[in-house]
């Protein structure tokens, strides 16, 4: 097994993988309902597989269980450009939907790093994030309605095609981010966004101090700059990207911030962001038209994978507390004498600390991961910003939720899945 990134705990390489009793590849909601009803009647654990891009282990099979593989439910059923809505089966690839609607002058705003492979259903089930969250929010903000198969095989519809809807409980958002524990999403109606006009503008800002970089981010976010993307790489990751790709980057002493603005005010927004960077002490600020500099951010994970095995963290904090969390991560790395690299969606406060796994020592890597998560919680943060909980972060839930809050979530699970067959022991 080669180098890779993974959230939290890792299954040993020599362990036998779980062997499900069967794999079902449905093409309709009715197929899913029939399969789930069979599993319910026979009390078989069910896992839902789509593209395998998840990072928290939520789609792994159960020994003797049923796998429902959604990749053949991949039809775009309708594009209603006037209403700015698209209705798709759950197995549609995110990038395919985005490409299909651009001829109408629209795009699908959620943009996880895995958008070329990830499915609409999977990204809804995990409430996926990505690079554009600072401007457009997470996947949850773009879901209008769902068709969901419940644990007993019954089928429900949630939400509506209207902008306003104050009718009944908001079941749509209940299923967004539920990671397959409450029901199986088979169809989704999602909101589309007009493509911004004009040429994108991008910038890079180098910093000799992580603290200065954090202060620059806070300043940018509270300013009038309308940024679509605001990312950060630490100096070592930046150096690795430059070594591999010869992108012409000046290697910073501490951190590199990458940002982009789109639309008619793009140039002015980048002006403001660059001013914020300079006022915070940037050692170098560079800008250029177009979105070419964004490739630097997307090259960071391949650079990391080339150089080792890593646990990929996924904590989130309020943006003003980013400098504190980064400082705590540095302290933890020093105390543990362990390498931790940082890439981050700093514009929305979502950090991906990359904890190195040395000589297959997962215990140490997981301990460092848990300490970083605890530090984020102390700063009013969350365990997961965009990857979900799955099995790999399940043990961390008591860090964020008290017993009463966990009990409320378990009560909802019990009501919708009384036999506990849907993704048992995961997410909640």
């Amino acid at each position: 097994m080669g180098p890779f990134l993974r959230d939290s705990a890792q299954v040993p390489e020599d362990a036998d993988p779980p062997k499900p009793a069967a794999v079902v590849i449905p093409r309709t909601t009715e197929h899913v309902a029939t399969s789930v009803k069979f599993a319910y009647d026979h009390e078989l654990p069910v896992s839902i597989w789509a593209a395998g891009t998840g990072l928290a282990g939520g789609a792994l099979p159960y020994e003797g269980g049923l796998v429902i593989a959604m990749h053949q439910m991949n039809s775009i059923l309708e594009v209603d450009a006037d209403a700015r809505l698209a209705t798709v089966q759950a197995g549609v690839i995110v990038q395919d939907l985005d490409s299909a609607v651009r001829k109408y002058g629209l795009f699908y705003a959620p943009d996880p790093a895995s958008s070329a492979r990830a499915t609409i259903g999977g990204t809804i089930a995990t409430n996926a994030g990505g690079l554009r969250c600072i401007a457009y929010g997470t996947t949850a903000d773009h879901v209008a309605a769902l068709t969901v198969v419940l644990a007993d095989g019954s089928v429900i519809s949630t939400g509506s095609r209207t902008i306003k809807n104050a009718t009944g409980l908001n079941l749509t958002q209940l299923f967004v981010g539920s990671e397959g524990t409450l029901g199986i999403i088979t169809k989704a109606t999602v909101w589309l966004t007009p493509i911004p006009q004009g040429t994108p503008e991008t910038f890079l800002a180098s910093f000799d101090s992580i603290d200065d970089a954090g202060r620059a981010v806070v300043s940018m976010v509270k300013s009038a700059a309308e940024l679509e993307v605001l990312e950060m790489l630490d100096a070592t990751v930046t150096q690795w990207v430059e070594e591999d790709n010869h992108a012409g980057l000046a290697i910073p002493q501490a951190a590199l911030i990458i940002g982009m603005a789109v639309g008619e005010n793009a140039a002015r927004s980048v002006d403001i962001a660059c001013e914020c960077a300079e006022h915070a002490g940037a050692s170098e600020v560079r800008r250029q038209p177009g979105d070419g500099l964004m490739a630097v951010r997307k090259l960071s994970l391949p650079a990391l994978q080339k150089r080792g095995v890593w646990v990929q963290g996924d904590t989130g904090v309020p943006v003003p507390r980013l400098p504190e969390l980064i400082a705590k991560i540095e302290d933890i790395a020093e105390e543990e004498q362990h390498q931790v690299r940082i890439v981050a969606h700093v514009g929305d406060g979502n950090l991906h600390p990359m904890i190195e796994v040395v000589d297959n020592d997962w215990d140490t890597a997981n301990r460092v991961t848990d300490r970083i998560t605890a530090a984020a919680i102390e700063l009013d943060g969350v365990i997961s910003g965009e990857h979900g909980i799955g099995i790999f972060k399940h043990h961390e839930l008591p860090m964020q939720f008290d017993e009463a809050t966990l009990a409320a979530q378990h009560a909802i699970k019990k009501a919708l899945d009384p036999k506990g067959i849907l993704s048992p022991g995961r997410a909640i």
Side-chain angles (χ1 to χ4, degrees):
M1 184 181 294
F4 58 98
L5 298 113
R6 183 70 67 86
D7 260 335
S8 198
Q10 165 65 17
V11 177
E13 291 189 17
D14 58 355
D16 291 331
K19 295 180 176 62
V23 176
V24 175
I25 305 176
R27 288 174 173 77
T28 67
T29 296
E30 291 72 26
H31 290 168
V32 175
T34 299
S35 302
V36 173
K37 178 64 164 59
F38 177 87
Y40 187 80
D41 290 343
H42 294 83
E43 299 190 19
L44 300 176
V46 176
S47 58
I48 303 96
W49 182 271
T53 60
L55 288 168
L60 296 176
Y62 293 91
E63 185 72 30
L66 178 67
V67 174
I68 298 182
M70 302 293 290
H71 58 283
Q72 289 296 324
M73 293 186 64
N74 57 3
S75 296
I76 298 174
L77 303 174
E78 178 194 17
V79 176
D80 185 344
D82 291 340
R84 300 202 320 214
L85 290 169
T87 299
V88 301
Q89 288 184 307
V92 168
I93 302 297
V94 171
Q95 186 171 285
D96 290 348
L97 172 61
D98 183 62
S99 298
V101 302
R102 284 184 177 264
K103 65 183 178 183
Y104 301 100
L106 303 168
F107 75 110
Y108 182 60
D111 184 35
S114 57
S115 60
R117 291 177 53 212
T119 63
I120 295 293
T123 54
I124 292 174
T126 55
N127 190 21
L131 274 64
R132 294 197 290 234
C133 290
I134 182 176
Y136 303 109
T138 63
T139 297
D141 299 300
H142 302 274
V143 181
L146 296 172
T147 298
V148 180
V149 176
L150 299 182
D152 63 357
S154 58
V155 179
I156 66 170
S157 297
T158 76
S160 71
R161 298 171 66 89
T162 61
I163 294 172
K164 293 180 178 179
N165 178 14
T167 311
L169 299 178
N170 190 345
L171 295 179
T172 301
Q173 293 302 316
L174 179 64
F175 288 100
V176 175
S178 65
E179 300 185 48
T181 60
L182 304 181
I184 300 173
I185 298 164
T186 62
K187 186 169 69 174
T189 299
V190 297
W191 295 106
L192 307 174
T193 303
I195 298 173
Q197 301 301 302
T199 302
E201 294 273 344
T202 53
F203 71 91
L204 300 178
S206 299
F207 291 87
D208 295 339
S209 158
I210 284 276
D211 185 62
D212 288 346
R215 290 190 298 105
V217 169
V218 174
S219 178
M220 291 176 197
V221 170
K222 74 177 183 180
S223 75
E226 299 172 358
L227 299 177
E228 184 179 71
V229 177
L230 188 59
E231 302 287 305
M232 187 178 80
L233 311 178
D234 73 20
T236 300
V237 177
T238 305
Q239 180 177 338
W240 290 345
V241 169
E242 179 60 23
E243 288 174 357
D244 292 349
N245 300 280
H246 306 290
L249 300 175
I251 308 305
Q253 289 294 315
L256 180 72
I257 289 178
I258 310 167
M260 181 173 74
V262 297
E264 296 176 352
N265 296 322
R268 177 56 183 154
S269 291
V270 169
D271 285 342
I272 295 170
C274 290
E275 290 169 6
C276 292
E278 290 165 353
H279 290 160
S283 58
E284 179 187 4
V285 177
R286 176 157 60 95
R287 61 184 293 170
Q288 69 182 48
D291 60 0
L293 293 176
M294 285 298 102
V296 173
R297 171 62 176 87
K298 294 186 177 181
L299 293 170
S300 60
L301 295 189
L304 281 153
Q305 288 175 306
K306 184 176 178 181
R307 289 166 175 84
V309 178
W310 309 82
V311 172
Q312 180 171 342
D314 177 40
T315 55
V317 293
V319 172
R321 310 210 72 170
L322 271 172
E324 294 174 79
L325 179 58
I326 292 170
K328 285 180 177 290
I329 291 172
E330 289 186 316
D331 290 344
I332 291 168
E334 183 175 351
E335 291 168 9
E336 296 280 353
Q337 291 294 293
H338 202 87
Q339 180 172 208
V340 180
R341 305 270 55 92
I342 295 177
V343 299
H345 308 304
V346 284
D348 56 47
N350 184 198
L351 266 69
H352 296 312
M354 304 294 185
I355 300 93
E356 187 179 22
V357 180
V358 181
D359 296 329
N360 210 33
D361 181 4
W362 290 94
D363 289 340
T364 298
N366 290 332
R367 182 177 68 248
V368 174
T369 302
D370 288 346
R371 289 191 63 186
I372 292 172
T373 298
I377 298 299
E378 290 175 2
L379 297 173
D380 303 319
V382 294
I383 294 170
S384 173
E386 61 182 6
H387 294 165
I389 300 300
I391 58 175
F392 296 129
K393 290 193 171 186
H394 196 265
H395 69 284
E396 294 182 345
L397 286 174
M399 293 184 187
Q400 184 170 336
F401 299 128
D402 58 28
E403 289 185 8
T405 304
L406 282 171
Q409 296 188 53
H410 295 157
I412 294 170
K413 165 73 169 172
K414 184 71 173 177
L416 294 176
D417 181 13
K419 294 185 179 181
I421 67 164
L422 299 180
S423 299
R426 299 176 183 176
I428 59 173

